[in-house]
Amino acid sequence: MNKLASRKDVARLAGVSEATVSRVFNNISPLREQTKQKVLQAAKELNYHPNVIAQNFAKGKSNNIGVIVPYLPKVNLLSTHYFSELVSGIGARLGELGYGLLLIFQRPDERKDYVQLFHSQRVDGCIILGARHNQNELEAIEKLHQLKLPYCLINQAFSEQHFHFIDADHVDGSYQATTALLEKGFQQVLFLNGPLEFSNSLDRLEGYNKALRQKGISLNEALIFEGNYSRKSGYKAGDKISTLLTKSKAILSANDRMAIGLMQKLNELGFHAGKDYAIIGYDNSEIAKMTTPSLSSVNVPLYEMGQLAAEKVLQSITHDINEQIMIKLSVSLIERESSLHVH
């Protein structure tokens, strides 16, 4: 096997110092054009390729964007529609623009220090998924924001802060779904929501309440249940929900995974979706089309949200832009068998 050419070999052949070779490949001026061409010619003859990692380190760049996702033991989050769509969108856009994606898993109870990711030269920017509304998280994001470091939150907006975020209009999503159920003649809608430390759970609650108000229906706390966005939590909620389920009631679930777990449990208890009750999920995951009956769901453009977050973070790096990122994408209700044919 031929020995790989080194910077020293290029310097010797071009008749210049190693420092000059470095300056050519790191594009550091001033350099005489004649000298530059001699170095490039020597590099070509020797088939020399500079160490990109070393180059980026010298420039203080890694060409990696950190994507921070929650780590939950025994839960493969990246197999879920929600996280896989977001990460795929981010990765696709970064790849097109010549950047790499560095996945960073963090336990929800771990002390957050996003600034440290930049100090350790591991990332040039970061995108945060699954941020929670608590003091530690707020302080860590506030530091990023104050230092004007390139970052973006996805699907979590802190209304009282001016953090950068890409979100979807979840108020409108749950409003559309609840309204659709009420307009089918159901007098009440049971609501299986996610934890209220996530802004999208609060938004869905707001949209649900807005739809009820418009129909002159008072909010009834006894009809609201909380899961943790897992299929298991939907299954678990089935016992309580079954005691309130009648022909006059329908169900809205804050994501498809909980809806599917809930449908499974209710089926075991003798309640059949699309026949005995109507149910609408959220996120429009691939599996929503495959359930029996197929699950109505609110479509959220997760892949596009990921792409947009990557684009905005890279813009702030490459163009040194520090404009406020506050974007909400629209959502739409997709009706299927689970809410169409109840009689």
Side-chain angles (χ1 to χ4, degrees), residues 298-341:
V298 175
N299 184 58
V300 182
L302 297 168
Y303 187 85
E304 290 80 0
M305 287 163 74
Q307 284 186 309
L308 199 50
E311 219 168 86
K312 292 294 180 185
V313 168
L314 288 191
Q315 267 177 18
S316 60
I317 294 167
T318 55
H319 296 92
D320 201 22
I321 298 169
N322 196 46
E323 289 173 2
Q324 185 70 43
I325 305 166
M326 294 176 83
I327 298 171
K328 281 201 177 186
L329 301 183
S330 57
V331 299
S332 56
L333 176 61
I334 311 291
E335 291 220 58
R336 299 190 180 97
E337 295 164 345
S338 71
S339 66
L340 283 177
H341 308 298

Side-chain angles (χ1 to χ4, degrees), residues 124-138:
D124 301 336
C126 71
I127 297 170
I128 303 167
L129 314 184
R132 292 166 182 258
H133 199 298
N134 60 42
Q135 199 56 36
N136 177 211
E137 191 85 59
L138 279 166

Side-chain angles (χ1 to χ4, degrees), residues 97-129:
L97 298 169
Y99 269 72
L101 180 156
L102 185 65
L103 267 183
I104 299 162
F105 290 92
Q106 287 198 330
R107 290 177 179 272
D109 55 354
E110 197 178 320
R111 182 130 195 94
K112 307 290 185 295
D113 187 355
Y114 300 129
V115 173
Q116 183 54 38
L117 302 175
F118 291 82
H119 284 241
S120 61
Q121 291 289 328
R122 289 168 68 198
V123 300
D124 301 336
C126 71
I127 297 170
I128 303 167
L129 314 184

Side-chain angles (χ1 to χ4, degrees), residues 8-208:
K8 196 173 190 173
D9 298 328
V10 176
R12 192 181 297 124
L13 183 59
V16 297
S17 67
E18 282 187 60
T20 299
V21 175
S22 284
R23 285 168 68 201
V24 169
F25 283 102
N26 287 310
N27 205 20
I28 300 169
S29 299
L31 273 171
R32 286 172 63 200
E33 188 58 31
Q34 189 183 356
T35 306
K36 187 176 175 181
Q37 289 310 319
K38 269 166 64 178
V39 169
L40 292 174
Q41 185 55 39
K44 191 177 176 185
E45 283 178 36
L46 293 168
N47 198 24
Y48 168 74
H49 299 282
N51 184 328
V52 175
I53 294 169
Q55 275 187 309
N56 286 332
F57 188 78
K59 294 176 194 168
K61 296 286 180 191
S62 69
N63 270 29
N64 281 326
I65 299 299
V67 177
I68 295 137
V69 294
Y71 170 72
L72 301 168
K74 299 180 184 173
V75 179
N76 182 2
L77 285 179
L78 294 181
S79 70
T80 67
H81 171 81
Y82 175 82
F83 283 106
S84 67
E85 284 291 294
L86 286 174
V87 172
S88 296
I90 295 167
R93 200 72 188 106
L94 290 180
E96 286 166 16
L97 298 169
Y99 269 72
L101 180 156
L102 185 65
L103 267 183
I104 299 162
F105 290 92
Q106 287 198 330
R107 290 177 179 272
D109 55 354
E110 197 178 320
R111 182 130 195 94
K112 307 290 185 295
D113 187 355
Y114 300 129
V115 173
Q116 183 54 38
L117 302 175
F118 291 82
H119 284 241
S120 61
Q121 291 289 328
R122 289 168 68 198
V123 300
D124 301 336
C126 71
I127 297 170
I128 303 167
L129 314 184
R132 292 166 182 258
H133 199 298
N134 60 42
Q135 199 56 36
N136 177 211
E137 191 85 59
L138 279 166
E139 286 170 7
I141 301 166
E142 181 62 41
K143 266 192 205 173
L144 277 179
H145 198 75
Q146 291 297 330
L147 291 168
K148 295 183 166 46
L149 292 168
Y151 80 93
C152 188
L153 306 172
I154 294 189
N155 217 28
Q156 172 74 333
F158 293 84
S159 54
E160 68 282 10
Q161 310 292 335
H162 295 289
F163 297 153
H164 302 307
F165 70 82
I166 308 281
D167 205 353
D169 192 344
H170 298 300
V171 174
D172 186 51
S174 62
Y175 169 79
Q176 284 185 47
T178 308
T179 300
L181 291 168
L182 293 171
E183 286 181 349
K184 289 178 193 301
F186 292 101
Q187 291 159 25
Q188 291 178 309
V189 177
L190 303 170
F191 182 28
L192 176 56
N193 200 8
L196 296 181
E197 62 184 336
F198 297 113
S199 67
N200 49 75
S201 300
L202 288 166
D203 288 349
R204 289 190 188 102
L205 181 60
E206 188 185 327
Y208 167 76

Side-chain angles (χ1 to χ4, degrees), residues 272-289:
H272 304 290
K275 183 183 170 190
D276 301 315
Y277 66 95
I279 183 168
I280 296 177
Y282 208 102
D283 287 341
N284 195 31
S285 58
E286 204 55 40
I287 198 138
K289 301 165 198 166

